[in-house]
Amino acid sequence: LQGIPNEVMAAFIPNERARYSRFADALNGFAYDPFSGKCYVGEVVDTLSECAERCLEEPVSYLSRSETEEDADGIYKGEAGPCVAFAFDHRSRRCVRLPEDRATQRFGPVTTSLEAPDGWQNFILKYAATASAG
């Protein structure tokens, strides 16, 4: 992870517990929770470290169908709580931040080279990985 500020990435480890899921759409950069109807949409950022920094500093946003008539477009935007995992696609620069209950979703294909990354990288906060393991 050369060139990435250590103070940002030091909080994360590769997300080894993540699994591919039909609810993680790597092509379009979003994760879907079929139980709540929430969609976690990726944002375009410049770097992996910017994605990690957003995970540390901003709550996870989601979109869902609106249950009220006040929303003319039928879409509701809310906050799902703190970010505990993220996935970053080096090709599209898409950053998908995930709350704890979606932290096991994996995006791929994963990058095959750290010198010339060409795919997704999946990370989780160290404390979240430790808490879920034991």
Side-chain angles (χ1 to χ4, degrees), residues 8 13-14 16 18 24 29 31 33 51 57 59 77 83 88 96 105:
V8 174
I13 60 173
E16 300 296 333
D33 181 349
C51 187
E57 296 177 356
K77 183 175 182 179
C83 176
F88 180 73
V96 181
Q105 292 191 330

Side-chain angles (χ1 to χ4, degrees), residues 18-102:
R19 302 287 178 258
Y20 290 110
S21 163
R22 63 187 173 123
F23 301 115
D25 184 333
L27 182 62
N28 295 303
F30 71 86
Y32 178 69
D33 181 349
F35 303 107
S36 69
K38 295 176 182 174
C39 184
Y40 305 97
V41 180
E43 307 163 297
V44 176
V45 298
D46 289 329
T47 63
L48 174 66
S49 62
E50 184 180 347
C51 187
E53 191 170 4
R54 285 191 182 189
C55 186
L56 290 173
E57 296 177 356
E58 300 174 12
V60 176
S61 297
Y62 68 86
L63 300 175
S64 68
R65 286 184 180 230
S66 178
E67 306 252 338
T68 65
E69 293 181 23
E70 289 88 40
D71 296 321
D73 59 2
I75 302 294
Y76 173 78
K77 183 175 182 179
E79 289 183 2
C83 176
V84 300
F86 73 91
F88 180 73
D89 180 18
H90 290 272
R91 287 174 288 198
S92 68
R93 302 282 184 230
R94 185 146 333 242
C95 171
V96 181
R97 296 177 297 121
L98 300 167
E100 189 169 5
D101 63 344
R102 294 288 104 197

